[in-house]
Amino acid sequence: MTEPTTPRRIVLVEDEPALRDNYTLALSKAGYDVRGHADPVSALAAVRQHMPDVAIIDIGLGRDSEAGFELCRNLRVLSARLPILFLTARDSELDVISGLRLGADDYLTKDISLAQLVARVSTVLRRVEAFSQPDDELPVRLVGDLALEQERLIARWQDETVDLTVTEYWLVNCLARHPGQVRSRQQLMDAANLVLDDQTITAHIKRIRAKFTAIDQNFAGIQTVYGLGYRWMDNQH
């Protein structure tokens, strides 16, 4: 007899009760175990006790207009792999880029429908599950100085681990699978069913480069092909 699967747990941080209830209801109906919080302190304490499968957080919480950014930073300290989605009314380019630079996997605005929200959560979880499934390839893929360990979502550069988020790992994996071939922003989005815009992809690539450069100041593995997209160069040195 097959054991029942445990519902994926979501930590939802939203200080407006009506919105929190709406999001909780929609996600619960989709089969998720949703734990709602109105403030970052209780949310962080809950995550320390039990790491969720996804965190969805607003930026402005209570009187602190930047509380969500600080919460994202703290969550990333606890886990480099936890999928983090911002869900906020703030849609400025600066806020989007700031959120992604802090390590968020996606940035959603509150004009998104409940059905779309559920779909975006499902998408990020499918990407996590896809990487955890065994395939016919070697468990570690080597591309020059890059080693990708798919089962554990770990990337190493020159034998040093690069702390990538789920989205960042996927983007590196997508590029490195086809060294030298240009991947357009649209191809990067389509291949993993990502619903992001150009500036979001750009922000992710900048953050990825910064992480590799922190290990190797001469890193030039990701090349921008202006007007076309990006490609992975495995012969950079």
Side-chain angles (χ1 to χ4, degrees):
M1 183 175 179
T2 303
E3 293 290 331
T5 58
T6 303
R8 294 304 188 102
R9 179 176 295 199
I10 297 175
V11 163
L12 170 67
V13 192
E14 167 59 62
D15 62 343
E16 294 186 31
L19 287 177
R20 189 169 64 249
D21 290 346
N22 284 343
Y23 298 145
T24 298
L25 180 60
L27 291 164
S28 296
K29 284 183 175 179
Y32 298 109
D33 176 10
V34 185
R35 309 297 174 95
H37 299 272
D39 63 272
V41 175
S42 64
L44 198 57
V47 170
R48 286 195 174 107
Q49 284 191 331
H50 189 293
M51 183 63 62
D53 296 288
V54 178
I56 302 174
I57 59 181
D58 196 358
I59 295 177
L61 297 168
R63 296 182 179 180
D64 189 343
S65 62
E66 306 290 310
F69 286 148
E70 182 63 22
L71 177 58
C72 180
R73 188 180 292 111
N74 289 328
L75 290 174
R76 271 291 161 254
V77 171
L78 294 177
S79 173
R81 305 285 179 260
L82 172 66
I84 300 173
L85 287 72
F86 276 110
L87 179 59
T88 176
R90 290 161 57 165
D91 61 357
S92 74
E93 181 177 357
L94 178 60
D95 285 328
V96 174
I97 293 174
S98 296
L100 296 175
R101 283 178 176 170
L102 289 172
D105 291 279
D106 207 346
Y107 191 104
L108 317 176
T109 55
K110 289 181 178 177
D111 57 359
I112 192 172
S113 70
L114 292 176
Q116 288 175 314
L117 172 61
V118 171
R120 298 285 274 269
V121 171
S122 176
T123 294
V124 74
L125 284 172
R126 282 201 307 273
R127 282 163 35 216
V128 174
E129 291 165 359
F131 280 125
S132 66
Q133 297 300 315
D135 57 25
D136 295 330
E137 300 179 27
L138 292 174
V140 177
R141 179 183 300 118
L142 299 175
V143 184
D145 289 335
L146 176 69
L148 294 172
E149 188 174 339
Q150 182 162 306
E151 186 173 348
R152 295 195 297 157
L153 298 181
I154 290 176
R156 292 191 300 275
W157 181 255
Q158 298 176 350
D159 293 327
E160 189 167 342
T161 299
V162 188
D163 287 328
L164 301 176
T165 67
V166 173
T167 298
E168 291 166 352
Y169 179 93
W170 180 83
L171 290 171
V172 170
N173 181 76
C174 183
L175 289 167
R177 289 176 78 95
H178 309 279
Q181 295 184 24
V182 177
R183 287 287 177 263
S184 70
R185 290 177 174 84
Q186 191 61 51
Q187 285 176 313
L188 291 173
M189 289 186 276
D190 290 346
N193 194 27
L194 289 167
V195 189
L196 306 174
D197 56 22
D198 283 0
Q199 72 177 15
T200 306
I201 291 291
T202 300
H204 277 306
I205 294 294
K206 286 182 178 179
R207 183 173 168 83
I208 291 168
R209 280 185 176 135
K211 290 183 176 183
F212 277 91
T213 303
I215 295 172
D216 174 11
Q217 63 180 356
N218 296 316
F219 174 76
I222 300 177
Q223 183 181 81
T224 300
V225 183
Y226 292 98
L228 295 177
Y230 304 94
R231 63 184 167 197
W232 186 270
M233 307 299 292
D234 63 348
N235 58 344
Q236 58 165 319
H237 293 302

